[in-house]
């Protein structure tokens, strides 16, 4: 089921962490923790009046806005589950912890949650770098690590306990090259700017492979480190190679900044971007400089879809801005984990992992109806998702769907 939302209201950040966490989340500082090493724990089935699942994402720090799309979406999904009877006849509680977007912090939080035997599985961490760093710890504790958005090609195959619903870069970026650059735009050459982190490096490698296959020349590629504010030198260097298109393998905020600086330097080049740029933040921050941007997307939410609009409206009411691309994936991840616990018939961590490996969107629909936002879902043997994508374009200041859903040809 492919959903969509026309995003259009301004970003407004003003909700405090205390108010934002509400009654559905709690700090694991209040949780009763176990001192037993995970290797000594033969069974992890929990008891009590609630079923507790962890959530690790950035709540503070420079990635807090990105992280808010995660934890608010988890809360909304869990509210949906609890309104419909919960899981195994119990209410579900989200135990939210703040990684600040830092891999070392995420590792320590993973150990903390692993030691707390009341926690059945964990949603997150947020980024590929965090998820990769934490994967060995989750495996040690035989506990599900379900990251909504970790799409580095190496992440999910690392461990039987590492899951993602984002879809791997080796599927998305070749789609963007094949269906977007090659077929839709008929591009012969591109310059590429990519984020020098685990996600960006994996995405760029997949981009290169796609360009080689379809005969698209990469005239120059330039990487940058998170936090960069001035892209003038990078843009000037790429401009000298005279590419036909510019591809941005960046998150939304970085991409918006690059678009504004393109406009300021007077370089009128059409731009194509990775799916991580699917955010109203791009339109808000870049303004007219974002017009004509083409990206890939694993879903497109629209006001005409009652379920999607209900989710987006509730999200906006709490956050003051509409969810980014990470929100629907996070919402669905929470539903999938809850459905896996119900399907397992137990809160034993290993049993929940095994149930999640075989979960489908049909299992979720059987429990709570047609509620998934970015499905359908069926995990591969390495706990990953091979998604279908569509192309979106900014037209008259709004995201517009310009292609049907399909996969790159290597996965059809």
């Amino acid at each position: 089921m492919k959903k969509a939302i026309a995003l259009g209201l301004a970003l407004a950040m003003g909700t405090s962490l205390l108010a934002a966490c509400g009654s559905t989340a709690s700090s694991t500082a209040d949780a009763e923790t176990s001192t037993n090493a995970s290797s000594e724990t033969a069974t992890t089935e929990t008891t009590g009046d609630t079923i507790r699942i962890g959530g690790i994402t950035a709540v503070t720090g420079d990635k807090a806005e990105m992280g808010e799309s995660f934890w608010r979406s988890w809360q909304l999904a869990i509210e949906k589950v609890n309104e419909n009877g919960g899981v195994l006849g119990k209410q579900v509680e989200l135990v939210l912890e703040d990684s600040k977007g830092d891999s070392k912090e995420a590792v320590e939080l993973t150990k903390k949650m692993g030691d707390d035997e009341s926690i059945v599985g964990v949603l997150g961490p947020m980024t590929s770098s965090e998820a990769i760093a934490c994967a060995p710890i989750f495996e040690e504790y035989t506990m599900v690590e379900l990251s909504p958005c970790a799409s580095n090609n190496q992440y999910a195959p690392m461990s039987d306990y590492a899951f993602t619903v984002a879809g791997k870069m080796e599927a998305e970026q070749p789609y963007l090259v094949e269906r977007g650059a090659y077929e839709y735009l008929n591009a012969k050459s591109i310059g590429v700017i990519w984020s020098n982190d685990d996600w960006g490096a994996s995405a760029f490698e997949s981009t290169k492979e796609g360009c080689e296959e379809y005969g698209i020349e990469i005239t120059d590629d330039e990487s940058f480190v998170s936090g960069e504010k001035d892209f003038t030198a990078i843009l000037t260097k790429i401009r000298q190679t005279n590419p036909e298109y510019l591809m941005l393998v960046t998150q939304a905020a970085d991409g918006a900044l690059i678009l504004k600086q393109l406009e300021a330097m007077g370089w009128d080049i059409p731009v194509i971007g990775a799916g991580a740029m699917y955010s109203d933040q791009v339109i808000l921050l870049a303004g007219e400089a974002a017009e004509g941007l083409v990206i890939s997307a694993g879903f497109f939410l629209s006001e005409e879809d009652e379920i999607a609009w209900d989710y987006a409206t509730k999200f906006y009411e709490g956050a003051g801005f509409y969810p980014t691309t990470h929100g629907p994936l996070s919402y669905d991840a929470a539903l999938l984990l809850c459905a896996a616990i119900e399907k397992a018939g137990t809160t034993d961590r290993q049993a929940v992992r095994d149930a999640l490996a075989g979960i489908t969107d049909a299992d979720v629909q059987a429990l709570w109806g047609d509620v998934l936002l970015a499905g359908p879902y069926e995990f591969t043997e390495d706990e990953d998702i091979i998604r279908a994508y569509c192309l979106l374009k900014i037209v008259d200041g709004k995201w517009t769907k310009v292609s049907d859903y399909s996969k790159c040809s290597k996965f059809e």
Side-chain angles (χ1 to χ4, degrees):
M1 116 191 41
K2 304 297 181 180
K3 309 291 186 182
I5 185 172
L7 303 176
L9 296 182
L11 291 165
M13 296 291 292
T15 308
S16 71
L17 174 60
L18 181 61
C21 289
S23 60
T24 61
S26 66
S27 168
T28 54
D30 298 326
E32 183 177 327
T33 59
S34 168
T35 58
N36 293 333
S38 60
S39 59
E40 298 172 353
T41 304
T43 180
T44 53
E45 185 165 5
T46 64
T47 59
D49 297 330
T50 61
I51 290 177
R52 307 177 86 222
I53 60 176
I56 299 176
T57 192
V59 180
T60 61
D62 59 5
K63 293 185 175 67
E65 184 178 325
M66 179 179 172
E68 189 165 4
S69 278
F70 286 70
W71 61 259
R72 282 196 184 276
S73 297
W74 293 337
Q75 288 180 341
L76 287 172
I78 290 170
E79 286 174 10
K80 178 76 173 181
V81 169
N82 287 337
E83 288 170 0
N84 287 274
V87 173
L88 302 179
K90 300 179 180 181
Q91 295 288 282
V92 179
E93 177 188 0
L94 175 64
V95 182
L96 180 64
E97 290 284 8
D98 180 13
S99 71
K100 305 177 181 64
D102 179 77
S103 295
K104 292 182 179 179
E105 188 76 22
V107 166
E108 293 307 309
L109 293 175
T110 298
K111 294 176 181 177
K112 181 180 180 181
M113 289 191 172
D115 284 334
D116 184 345
E117 293 185 9
S118 73
I119 296 178
V120 180
V122 175
L123 298 166
M126 184 171 73
T127 66
S128 290
S129 295
E130 291 172 80
I132 288 171
C134 294
I137 313 301
F138 279 100
E139 184 164 32
E140 178 185 352
Y141 284 100
T142 65
M143 183 165 61
V144 165
E145 174 187 22
L146 179 52
S147 177
C149 297
S151 55
N152 181 286
N153 293 331
Q154 307 306 314
Y155 163 61
M158 290 180 65
S159 166
D160 286 343
Y161 300 88
F163 291 77
T164 177
V165 299
K168 59 179 67 177
M169 281 293 105
E170 68 179 29
E172 181 173 3
Q173 284 305 110
Y175 169 88
L176 181 61
V177 172
E178 178 184 2
R179 307 299 188 197
Y182 179 71
E183 294 181 358
Y184 183 71
L185 299 173
N186 194 29
K188 301 297 188 296
S189 65
I190 61 172
V192 182
I193 299 178
W194 55 281
S195 176
N196 194 358
D197 51 28
D198 285 328
W199 170 79
S202 182
F204 178 60
E205 285 303 312
S206 294
T207 299
K208 287 197 297 184
E209 293 173 6
C211 286
E212 289 172 3
E213 182 173 356
Y214 288 97
I216 298 174
E217 178 189 4
I218 297 178
T219 63
D220 185 30
D221 74 271
E222 299 292 334
S223 66
F224 68 93
V225 177
S226 177
E228 179 64 56
K229 300 301 181 184
D230 187 357
F231 294 90
T232 306
I234 286 176
L235 290 170
T236 299
K237 187 176 180 181
I238 295 177
R239 187 177 190 178
Q240 292 172 348
T241 68
N242 197 32
E244 188 179 6
Y245 290 88
L246 180 66
M247 179 179 286
L248 304 182
V249 184
T250 70
Q251 299 296 323
D254 294 322
L257 189 57
I258 292 170
L259 290 170
K260 286 296 290 182
Q261 292 180 22
L262 272 173
E263 181 182 53
M265 68 188 295
W267 186 14
D268 185 17
I269 183 172
V271 182
I272 185 169
M277 290 186 68
Y278 181 26
S279 168
D280 235 27
Q281 186 179 31
V282 172
I283 299 171
L284 179 69
L285 297 178
E288 291 185 3
E291 192 70 14
L293 172 67
V294 174
I295 68 168
S296 59
F299 49 86
F300 178 56
L301 304 169
S302 90
E303 189 172 350
E304 287 72 31
D305 189 301
E306 182 178 347
I307 294 171
W309 190 249
D310 179 67
Y311 154 75
T313 300
K314 289 178 179 177
F315 185 100
Y316 183 86
E317 288 171 353
F321 65 95
Y322 280 110
T324 66
T325 185
H326 311 103
L329 294 174
S330 299
Y331 184 90
D332 286 0
L335 291 177
L336 289 167
L337 182 54
C338 288
I341 298 169
E342 184 73 39
K343 187 175 182 178
T346 174
T347 56
D348 177 74
R349 289 175 177 174
Q350 182 65 49
V352 170
R353 179 267 160 212
D354 294 342
L356 182 61
I359 209 78
T360 68
D361 52 306
D363 294 311
V364 178
Q365 292 172 22
L367 290 169
W368 303 298
D370 191 17
V371 296
L372 290 168
L373 301 175
Y377 293 98
E378 186 172 356
F379 288 108
T380 64
E381 62 181 11
D382 60 2
E383 297 81 47
D384 212 329
I385 297 288
I386 303 298
R387 286 191 168 281
Y389 300 92
C390 67
L391 296 175
L392 305 181
K393 184 177 183 178
I394 296 179
V395 180
D396 296 330
K398 295 191 298 184
W399 289 108
T400 305
K401 186 167 173 280
V402 294
S403 81
D404 294 330
Y405 288 92
S406 64
K407 299 177 181 178
C408 66
S409 56
K410 67 182 288 188
F411 289 108
E412 286 187 330

